[in-house]
Amino acid sequence: MIDTIVAPHQGARLDVLGDVVRILATAEETGGVFGAVEFTVMPGGGAPLHANNRENLAFYVADGSLQFTTNGEVTILGAGSWFFAPAGNAHTYHNKTDDIARTLMLCVPGGFEQMFADAGRTLGADETSRPPREEDIGRVMEATGHYGVDIFPPTE
């Protein structure tokens, strides 16, 4: 392994269900130790209730606030907050505000970051995300199955 630097304008940028995902570190680059992904979560955006059965996930909220739900408990986390989801625990997060939120996700061991590359739509330098279409949802559902992720139906 070698030291790696990713500047703000670098890293693969992807549209995944309307949110912008930027891959910062891959398992290949870290010797499998971890993967790192930055999410720019649009108002109303987020992830469905799901469980990662292979990886432990950790989220650091960098900007804005996100509503995290795990074990039936809902918590609003603002900038500077940390959330840990052990492998197998069902969780979700949503941006319930009118402002964009950003979070950094670490996945341990690495590899899950590739799911976003498989499921997302590559964005050009000046391109932004768009509301998800049926084919986008289909790509995510197919990719999550390959990565040991269980997606649960909405409870609301």
Side-chain angles (χ1 to χ4, degrees):
M1 288 185 294
I2 61 170
D3 293 349
T4 305
I5 295 173
V6 179
H9 63 280
Q10 295 176 320
R13 289 181 64 246
L14 307 156
D15 178 348
V16 180
L17 299 179
D19 293 330
V20 177
V21 175
R22 186 166 68 114
I23 298 177
L24 302 174
T26 65
E28 183 177 334
E29 295 165 333
T30 66
V33 176
F34 72 94
V37 177
E38 176 190 64
F39 295 94
T40 301
V41 186
M42 301 303 166
L49 182 64
H50 65 284
N52 296 70
N53 294 302
R54 300 177 189 164
E55 304 84 16
N56 298 293
L57 302 180
F59 296 85
Y60 175 79
V61 180
D63 292 314
S65 67
L66 293 169
Q67 175 181 294
F68 282 84
T69 304
T70 187
N71 299 319
E73 293 186 33
V74 176
T75 305
I76 305 293
L77 297 178
S81 299
W82 179 259
F83 173 75
F84 176 66
N89 279 21
H91 62 278
T92 185
Y93 64 89
H94 291 96
N95 183 349
K96 299 284 192 175
T97 73
D98 293 330
D99 299 314
I100 292 172
R102 282 187 324 118
T103 187
L104 171 68
M105 181 195 75
L106 299 177
C107 56
V108 178
F112 182 62
E113 72 284 347
Q114 184 61 41
M115 192 281 302
F116 300 103
D118 293 350
R121 181 179 65 87
T122 302
L123 292 172
D126 298 328
E127 200 175 0
T128 60
S129 63
R130 59 171 162 68
R133 298 180 181 163
E134 193 171 318
E135 64 265 22
D136 301 325
I137 296 167
R139 269 196 323 273
V140 168
M141 294 302 291
E142 182 178 342
T144 55
H146 294 296
Y147 288 88
V149 178
D150 294 326
I151 297 183
F152 306 105
T155 56
E156 299 177 358

